[in-house]
Amino acid sequence: MAEADLPIIELRQVHKWYGEFHVLKDINLEVKKGERVVVCGPSGSGKSTMIRCINRLEDHQQGQIIVAGIELTADVKNIEAIRREVGMVFQQFNLFPHLTVLENLTLAPIWVRKSPRKEAEETARLYLERVRIPEQADKYPGQLSGGQQQRVAIARSLCMKPEIMLFDEPTSALDPEMIKEVLDVMIELAQEGMTMVCVTHEMGFARTVADTMVFMDRGEIVERGPPKDFFTNPQSDRTKLFLSQILAH
Amino acid sequence: MANVDVTQELPLPVERPPASAVGPLGWLRANLFNGTFNTVLTVAAVGLLAVAIPPLIRWAVIDAVWSATSGQACRAGGACWAFIGQKLRFIMFGTFPYEQQWRPLLVVVIFIALIVASCNRQLWGRRLGLLWLAGLVTVGVLMWGGAFGIAYVPDEAWSGLPLTLILATVGMAFAFPLAVLLALGRRSKLPAVRGICVAYIELVRGVPLITVLFMASVMLPLFLPTGITIDKLLRAQLAIILFAAAYLSEVIRGGLQSIPKGQIEAADALGLGYWQTTRLIVLPQALAVVIPPLVNTFIGTFKDTTLVIIIGLFDLLGTVTTSLSDANWRGFAVEAYVFTAAFYFCFCFFMSRYSQMLEREFNKGRQR
């Protein structure tokens, strides 16, 4: 399909500053429909900032970001249109603690997509089934384990039927024994063809699902390529150093 | 793994706590007699109560006079509750025309019914808003009259309990939404909006309510063109609303600040707009956090309504004070004020208990 080759996310010469600090330097990135991109790099390298620019939780000061054919500007209409198509999963889950799991899942479909409540609830239960916690629908987030909360957060994003999913270190706040249950859900999602941009340190996961690896350091993209080449034959010294540290044990 | 010492293969049996830690004896020990200092305090407090309570009961109940035809017949040494009985209608409804006093009575009933209905969380929503609107319109018709065949009563004659309830309830009902807007405005990214809200809050908080009431009744007419007057009751009501809003908004802002940024980011990422995020995500959490100080402010506002006496409105405290000046019934100030205090206490205690119930309900199953 010719359409599949068109980029659904495009970052062109994007720069961002926090005050005087240059966080993103000349970022160029294209993500095609159905492509899985894993972004890695040392902490403070700007990887979270970059994916948070894609749904404009952060604004960039120079360059262009085009998502699903819409350019991100200060225009609130554009921002809201893009956010409807882009789901995001956070490191800290950010579930709404005053709402039940089911209400967390149906909130945006009802208020943003204007779906009828009944339909929204059916969809929500379907996705809870898919993340394997249908029995938790009526509990509050505070009553669930970290791994369950993160799976609810993934389901909450999926209920909006997004074209793209962004993951910002989804397993970094989890206890080790819960990482797998979240990664399993993400792998399934990848196998179904979801377009994904994922910031993570889980290199096993990256090997399994990534089409493209992106390595960032000090605000720039240092290296990119298919995981096979990236892991076995990294080009830059900075990538080599990072991989040696992260894969050492 | 030979160093690992496995001492217990089976789980340890569940044991009951020692008898001295539970039951009434355990409670006494933990709460009243834990340590020398607290034991001394407990004994001293019991002694004080033993000295104070019997004379109080003698005054209020045993030696009290429950019915008498004049003040002279009422001086037996105990409380003269007959005074309250004699003046009850005046204390309750003040100068409202005597034969028409079923109207303010009905108003009081309507207010209490509305308040009780509002306490049921199942009713919260648009319908409760309509109920309040209907209730307030009915209150207006009953108090003013001049329609449906009931006589017109100017609001200068409104007094006593209905006046207190109107000032307090209408005051809080309008102050609360205004306060939410002020609190949101103070956190706005727009400098003009923020500036106006900060200026308003600081200005109003910086002056006593009495001055605001005074200014409203004495100074405002000087500024208005001749011939245009704003009703005295309306002025007092506005002053209370504007005043309470400034205090409430700071309480609400405290709640807004307690909401983690991630909550707003998650709502943004789902495509919710500013007002949806505020209404569905931020406010429900923020307000639940600040229930105790909110109720604090509500109780304060309720009691502050007594200050309207300064501009010549006779609320519950005003009618009580007036009733003391009857030459036939002189010298029963203690009884009168005890009675009024009991009234205010009932309302405030109800608010406080209800807020505790709400807190418990909001915290059910939430992470803390």
Side-chain angles (χ1 to χ4, degrees):
Chain A
M1 278 207 300
E3 198 201 55
D5 293 335
L6 287 173
I8 192 164
I9 305 173
E10 220 180 331
L11 283 77
R12 286 189 207 144
Q13 290 149 30
V14 171
H15 290 261
K16 177 174 175 60
W17 289 264
Y18 284 131
E20 288 290 301
F21 180 59
H22 203 170
V23 247
L24 294 181
K25 300 172 189 160
D26 193 30
I27 300 288
N28 287 283
L29 183 73
E30 280 187 7
V31 181
K32 295 188 187 70
K33 200 167 165 50
E35 188 177 357
R36 271 89 60 177
V37 177
V38 169
V39 184
C40 61
S43 65
S45 60
K47 44 195 199 309
S48 283
T49 308
M50 183 186 76
I51 77 163
R52 286 160 61 87
C53 281
I54 296 175
N55 64 352
R56 208 168 167 102
L57 289 182
E58 307 273 355
D59 49 359
H60 57 288
Q61 278 109 35
Q62 233 180 66
Q64 277 183 307
I65 300 178
I66 301 159
V67 181
I70 309 168
E71 183 174 356
L72 272 175
T73 58
D75 186 346
V76 180
K77 283 267 166 299
N78 277 356
I79 297 172
E80 285 179 1
I82 284 173
R83 283 175 178 166
R84 282 196 287 271
E85 307 311 323
V86 181
M88 186 160 201
V89 175
F90 299 85
Q91 183 177 355
Q92 299 295 342
F93 330 136
N94 294 344
L95 294 175
F96 306 127
H98 62 301
L99 302 176
T100 64
V101 166
L102 194 68
E103 288 165 340
N104 263 279
L105 265 58
T106 53
L107 184 87
I110 289 173
W111 290 92
V112 180
R113 291 252 190 252
K114 313 285 175 206
S115 308
R117 177 174 297 273
K118 206 164 166 281
E119 202 182 299
E121 283 183 1
E122 274 167 22
T123 316
R125 288 189 193 280
L126 197 79
Y127 281 111
L128 278 181
E129 196 91 44
R130 290 211 5 213
V131 300
R132 303 190 197 91
I133 35 176
E135 71 284 359
Q136 311 286 8
D138 298 318
K139 288 201 183 157
Y140 285 95
Q143 296 167 304
L144 306 184
S145 74
Q148 291 173 326
Q149 289 195 45
Q150 193 59 299
R151 285 184 281 154
V152 171
I154 294 173
R156 177 175 70 178
S157 286
L158 292 176
C159 281
M160 283 294 281
K161 309 255 167 76
E163 300 253 347
I164 303 161
M165 284 287 283
L166 307 175
F167 292 86
D168 187 4
E169 305 205 26
T171 56
S172 300
L174 295 175
D175 291 335
E177 75 269 25
M178 294 170 183
I179 291 178
K180 188 176 175 294
E181 62 189 50
V182 171
L183 289 182
D184 284 348
V185 167
M186 289 169 63
I187 290 170
E188 250 180 56
L189 202 58
Q191 284 162 351
E192 284 159 24
M194 174 67 78
T195 311
M196 290 164 75
V197 180
C198 187
V199 173
T200 183
H201 297 294
E202 296 295 331
M203 289 302 130
F205 167 78
R207 276 206 189 97
T208 317
V209 305
D211 298 310
T212 310
M213 292 297 299
V214 171
F215 173 69
M216 285 182 77
D217 191 22
R218 286 174 230 155
E220 38 193 334
I221 294 182
V222 176
E223 189 161 345
R224 73 186 85 195
K228 193 157 51 74
D229 306 338
F230 181 83
F231 285 111
T232 53
N233 187 19
Q235 301 297 306
S236 132
D237 289 338
R238 284 196 265 176
T239 318
K240 283 176 197 160
L241 178 68
F242 175 75
L243 286 176
S244 73
Q245 284 166 342
I246 202 165
L247 300 173
H249 43 105
Chain B
M1 287 291 140
N3 290 334
V4 178
D5 184 16
V6 181
T7 53
Q8 191 79 34
E9 279 292 340
L10 294 165
L12 287 167
V14 179
E15 284 180 28
R16 290 181 53 84
S20 62
V22 290
L25 217 63
W27 185 90
L28 279 177
R29 184 183 295 225
N31 292 290
L32 299 177
F33 299 105
N34 56 337
T36 327
F37 181 65
N38 283 345
T39 307
V40 170
L41 272 187
T42 303
V43 172
V46 169
L48 207 65
L49 288 177
V51 172
I53 287 183
L56 192 67
I57 291 177
R58 202 173 313 129
W59 176 81
V61 184
I62 299 171
D63 290 350
V65 180
W66 297 91
S67 65
T69 44
S70 76
Q72 290 305 325
C74 207
R75 300 194 191 278
C80 175
W81 300 124
F83 168 75
I84 303 293
Q86 197 73 26
K87 296 288 177 193
L88 190 62
R89 290 267 303 250
F90 184 78
I91 291 173
M92 285 293 150
F93 307 121
T95 49
F96 206 90
Y98 195 79
E99 314 74 49
Q100 299 284 334
Q101 284 182 358
W102 59 272
R103 285 156 56 180
L105 178 66
L106 204 55
V107 164
V108 170
V109 171
I110 288 174
F111 265 119
I112 291 175
L114 280 174
I115 291 167
V116 169
S118 309
C119 288
N120 184 352
R121 280 188 64 211
Q122 254 103 57
L123 291 175
W124 288 12
R126 197 162 289 157
R127 259 189 303 166
L128 188 65
L130 291 175
L131 202 65
W132 268 97
L133 199 66
L136 289 181
V137 168
T138 318
V139 164
V141 170
L142 280 170
M143 291 303 280
W144 268 301
F148 307 108
I150 52 179
Y152 172 71
V153 176
D155 49 42
E156 281 81 22
W158 300 7
S159 34
L161 186 60
L163 183 66
T164 293
L165 288 179
I166 288 172
L167 287 172
T169 322
V170 175
M172 291 173 203
F174 282 85
F176 187 70
L178 183 60
V180 170
L181 289 179
L182 281 168
L184 291 171
R186 193 167 181 169
R187 286 163 52 87
S188 165
K189 287 197 189 87
L190 308 170
V193 173
R194 196 173 54 232
I196 290 169
C197 292
V198 171
Y200 174 84
I201 292 166
E202 295 305 337
L203 196 70
V204 174
R205 268 202 316 179
V207 293
L209 178 57
I210 293 192
T211 19
V212 179
L213 286 170
F214 246 139
M215 285 209 303
S217 67
V218 181
M219 285 180 64
L220 206 58
L222 297 180
F223 297 126
L224 288 172
T226 41
I228 294 182
T229 52
I230 301 179
D231 185 82
K232 190 158 58 169
L233 177 67
L234 186 63
R235 285 190 309 235
Q237 184 71 80
L238 276 177
I240 288 170
I241 291 172
L242 298 179
F243 201 77
Y247 278 88
L248 282 174
S249 78
E250 284 296 276
V251 168
I252 294 169
R253 189 165 68 96
L256 294 177
Q257 258 151 359
S258 76
I259 305 303
K261 208 163 152 256
Q263 290 288 305
I264 294 156
E265 287 180 353
D268 282 347
L270 286 167
L272 291 162
Y274 173 79
W275 289 108
Q276 288 176 331
T277 306
T278 301
R279 196 162 77 77
L280 300 167
I281 307 299
V282 177
L283 281 180
Q285 295 186 63
L287 295 179
V289 173
V290 294
I291 288 175
L294 268 185
V295 173
N296 212 9
T297 313
F298 278 149
I299 288 177
T301 306
F302 180 64
K303 293 188 296 186
D304 276 353
T305 57
T306 52
L307 290 173
V308 295
I309 199 166
I310 217 103
I311 57 167
L313 289 174
F314 288 89
D315 69 331
L316 188 57
L317 192 62
T319 51
V320 166
T321 310
T322 312
S323 69
L324 291 173
S325 58
D326 184 342
N328 288 326
W329 294 86
R330 284 216 179 265
F332 300 113
V334 177
E335 288 84 343
Y337 287 125
V338 164
F339 176 75
T340 328
F343 241 99
Y344 279 96
F345 179 80
C346 284
F347 280 102
C348 294
F349 189 65
F350 167 79
M351 281 194 254
S352 144
R353 296 306 300 193
Y354 176 64
S355 82
Q356 284 171 24
M357 197 199 84
L358 264 191
E359 263 181 82
R360 268 199 305 279
E361 218 163 290
F362 277 126
N363 291 336
K364 221 179 273 169
R366 304 273 174 77
Q367 64 193 107
R368 274 280 133 183

